[in-house]
Amino acid sequence: MTEADFIAALRTLPLHPAARALADDVALLGGMIVTTDTLVEGIHFLPDDPAADVAWKLVATNLSDLAAKGSTPIGVLLNYPLSDAAWDRGFLKGLGDVLAAHDCPLIGGDTVSLPAGAPRVLTVTAFGQLSPAPPRSGALAGDRLWVTGTIGDAGAGLAIARGEAGPATLLARYRRPTPRLAEGRRIARSAHAMMDVSDGLLIDAQRMAAASGVAVTIDLARVPLSADYLAWSGDPIAAATAGDDYELLFAAAPAFVPTMRATMIGRFSDGAGLTLTNDGAPTPLPARLGFDHGTAAP
Amino acid sequence: MTEADFIAALRTLPLHPAARALADDVALLGGMIVTTDTLVEGIHFLPDDPAADVAWKLVATNLSDLAAKGSTPIGVLLNYPLSDAAWDRGFLKGLGDVLAAHDCPLIGGDTVSLPAGAPRVLTVTAFGQLSPAPPRSGALAGDRLWVTGTIGDAGAGLAIARGEAGPATLLARYRRPTPRLAEGRRIARSAHAMMDVSDGLLIDAQRMAAASGVAVTIDLARVPLSADYLAWSGDPIAAATAGDDYELLFAAAPAFVPTMRATMIGRFSDGAGLTLTNDGAPTPLPARLGFDHGTAAP
């Protein structure tokens, strides 16, 4: 079953009002923003990724969902599969690092054992302070599409982690993503819609447009690429379809003026679907827009 | 690393006050009781357990932690690994059943894919209304130890699920445990300490005594066994060391009079550790008190 089919089936069950009809990455509950993300070894991280980096990424991906709502972390729950002592110790070190870096305490969790040789599956649930929380579904025709930071660095980092040559800065973007918490707090005051880029810029922008009931056009030439990425490959399609960036993607009125590092990359219009241009000229969509859970491996 | 060592290491990280020093099964956050439990295929359930029953058990084990605090469910988050469509459909059916049976809506969650052949790892996080929430650590010397319902039925059910002969009633106790929510609400008003029996009566009682800084003595002859269990084997040691009962274990003052089905099985005293008697006569502890995560398979 695909993720979309499964979520559609979940929508037929009794839903809490906080669920926002399962159309968003967070719930609003108990005066808090609540979000949960699971990472799977072999899917979301590599078996030889250092345990400390896996801990960092696990917490950072959840805090990134809080960032996309303009929320400040309150704390996290951890569901952890015990394994060999060296991996567990590495994980604890990275967990301490990422919690301290984001002033985010541990609230509790659960530890389990796994059958021998099973891939690790780790879950964090993060709680954040109540915030403006722009939904995924709020983009309006006429809004501009913006993204923070640079795109594609983490995708390059994944290739480097798999053995390609490349700089440590790109590898670090894959292994230790930065949740854009400060940026999110500022953007949330004026954004109509916001989400983080986890599965790929194109697929995530398409999802925002679909949830909002509008069309979106992205100009590839505007997609912000880092100097490191330009030196490594510079391919904008690869950048825009790789996941794991954890930058913030948001819709704002034409008058929006950013007070943080953000780039206007497209616009929303009446209609449906995703269209690409390159410096204004129409250009075909790639066959794969990003990572779609339940249909293919990354 | 054992579960105890891992949790000890977590205690050196920044902890939220809601964490109760990681000494309990729940956190108190945002005016709610919060708990999370992970089930692993091959550890907490069998690969050929029906998917609908796995869904039931996943939610019921979390609601059981709310029951042990006297709390009423508000809703649940689900972290779900997509797999084959038939399993997913079965799971959705059981999920609908268990949510409806306990008037508990879905709040949100996350879906992921797993590498081919990987055992399923499923997490639910449950939220409940604020309640008296007796801690695991509140037992006093002189308190009596009580347990609701009957013990050992789920352990027998596991053996039956693995191929032994036995009645469907015992199998159902393993596959579709009942969270003791109504009982928990009544007990929570007067219990000094409470937890659910998930890893085995003896190991869980030992944990309650250790958390409370007292000793506990359990009389095996008093452990409540069902008529089905007595007919199936009747072994009280097997019953008291099998897990998955999800009955409520609680400490109450000598004057406590139950208003629900509960049995007084022991008492707390000054000192430390677990002692067994059988109709008052000392009897040796079994080598294995229950399921200890991180040290052995079940």
Side-chain angles (χ1 to χ4, degrees):
Chain A
M1 197 175 276
T2 67
E3 181 174 30
D5 291 342
F6 189 79
I7 292 175
L10 289 180
R11 286 202 185 98
T12 69
L13 301 180
L15 296 185
H16 194 283
R20 290 181 150 196
L22 304 181
D24 213 327
D25 295 316
V26 303
L28 274 66
L29 190 70
M32 300 181 294
I33 307 278
V34 184
T35 186
T36 186
D37 265 320
T38 296
L39 297 189
V40 178
E41 184 174 279
I43 302 283
H44 304 92
F45 64 94
L46 303 174
D48 58 357
D49 279 341
D53 291 341
V54 174
W56 180 286
K57 189 166 182 170
L58 176 64
V59 172
T61 57
N62 276 279
L63 298 189
S64 178
D65 281 325
L66 295 183
K69 302 298 133 177
S71 173
T72 299
I74 292 172
V76 295
L77 297 174
L78 169 68
N79 299 76
Y80 185 77
L82 295 162
S83 56
D84 63 279
W87 211 91
D88 292 342
R89 275 194 300 271
F91 184 90
L92 286 161
K93 175 67 173 69
L95 182 65
D97 289 349
V98 70
L99 294 178
H102 301 98
D103 200 17
C104 178
L106 185 68
I107 297 172
D110 190 26
T111 53
V112 294
S113 36
L114 293 181
R120 293 176 179 91
V121 178
L122 306 104
T123 291
V124 155
T125 302
F127 299 84
Q129 294 171 10
L130 206 58
S131 64
R136 179 186 283 208
S137 59
L140 303 173
D143 278 355
R144 304 303 192 251
L145 178 67
W146 293 78
V147 70
T148 59
T150 57
I151 291 294
D153 295 338
L158 172 58
I160 294 164
R162 284 176 165 159
E164 290 190 34
T169 47
L170 294 177
L171 182 59
R173 288 268 292 164
Y174 167 68
R175 288 192 167 157
R176 297 223 169 190
T178 303
R180 300 297 185 193
L181 288 158
E183 293 86 343
R185 281 190 289 269
R186 272 179 284 157
I187 296 165
R189 292 197 291 262
S190 43
H192 294 160
M194 183 151 58
M195 61 192 293
D196 65 347
V197 181
S198 57
D199 288 337
L201 177 68
L202 297 190
I203 200 167
D204 286 329
Q206 186 187 52
R207 289 169 179 163
M208 180 182 283
S212 302
V214 291
V216 65
T217 301
I218 292 178
D219 195 300
L220 268 185
R222 287 176 176 267
V223 172
L225 306 177
S226 69
D228 282 334
Y229 184 80
L230 285 166
W232 185 78
S233 100
D235 176 359
I237 287 284
T241 56
D244 290 323
D245 288 313
Y246 300 104
E247 296 293 347
L248 298 178
L249 186 68
F250 60 100
F256 175 77
V257 177
T259 60
M260 72 296 301
R261 186 178 176 189
T263 308
M264 202 270 277
I265 58 170
R267 60 185 62 205
F268 295 91
S269 56
D270 288 324
L274 166 68
T275 306
L276 277 190
T277 59
N278 196 353
D279 227 355
T283 192
L285 285 182
R288 181 181 164 282
L289 300 180
F291 181 50
D292 192 7
H293 301 279
T295 57
Chain B
M1 197 176 276
T2 67
E3 182 175 31
D5 290 344
F6 189 78
I7 293 174
L10 289 179
R11 287 204 183 97
T12 68
L13 301 180
L15 296 185
H16 193 283
R20 290 181 150 196
L22 304 180
D24 213 328
D25 296 316
V26 303
L28 274 67
L29 190 69
M32 300 182 294
I33 307 278
V34 185
T35 186
T36 186
D37 264 321
T38 297
L39 297 190
V40 178
E41 184 174 280
I43 302 284
H44 304 93
F45 64 94
L46 301 174
D48 59 356
D49 279 341
D53 291 340
V54 174
W56 180 285
K57 189 165 182 170
L58 176 64
V59 173
T61 57
N62 276 278
L63 298 189
S64 177
D65 280 325
L66 295 183
K69 303 296 134 177
S71 174
T72 298
I74 292 172
V76 295
L77 298 174
L78 169 68
N79 298 76
Y80 185 76
L82 296 162
S83 56
D84 62 279
W87 211 90
D88 292 342
R89 276 194 299 271
F91 184 89
L92 286 161
K93 175 67 172 69
L95 182 65
D97 290 348
V98 69
L99 293 179
H102 300 97
D103 199 18
C104 178
L106 186 67
I107 296 172
D110 190 27
T111 54
V112 295
S113 35
L114 293 182
R120 293 176 179 91
V121 178
L122 307 105
T123 290
V124 155
T125 302
F127 299 84
Q129 295 171 8
L130 205 57
S131 64
R136 181 187 281 208
S137 59
L140 303 173
D143 278 354
R144 304 302 191 252
L145 178 67
W146 293 78
V147 70
T148 60
T150 57
I151 291 294
D153 295 339
L158 172 58
I160 294 165
R162 284 177 167 157
E164 290 191 34
T169 47
L170 294 178
L171 183 60
R173 288 269 291 164
Y174 166 68
R175 286 190 168 159
R176 296 221 170 192
T178 304
R180 300 298 185 192
L181 288 158
E183 293 86 343
R185 281 190 288 270
R186 272 180 284 156
I187 295 166
R189 292 196 290 262
S190 43
H192 293 158
M194 184 151 58
M195 61 192 292
D196 65 347
V197 180
S198 57
D199 290 336
L201 177 68
L202 297 190
I203 199 168
D204 286 330
Q206 185 188 53
R207 287 168 179 164
M208 180 182 284
S212 303
V214 292
V216 64
T217 302
I218 293 179
D219 195 301
L220 269 184
R222 288 177 174 267
V223 172
L225 306 176
S226 70
D228 282 334
Y229 184 80
L230 286 166
W232 185 76
S233 101
D235 177 359
I237 288 284
T241 56
D244 291 321
D245 289 312
Y246 300 104
E247 296 293 348
L248 298 178
L249 186 68
F250 59 101
F256 175 77
V257 176
T259 59
M260 71 297 301
R261 184 177 176 190
T263 307
M264 202 269 276
I265 58 170
R267 61 185 62 203
F268 295 91
S269 57
D270 289 324
L274 166 68
T275 307
L276 277 190
T277 59
N278 196 352
D279 226 354
T283 192
L285 286 181
R288 182 181 163 284
L289 300 181
F291 182 50
D292 192 7
H293 301 279
T295 59

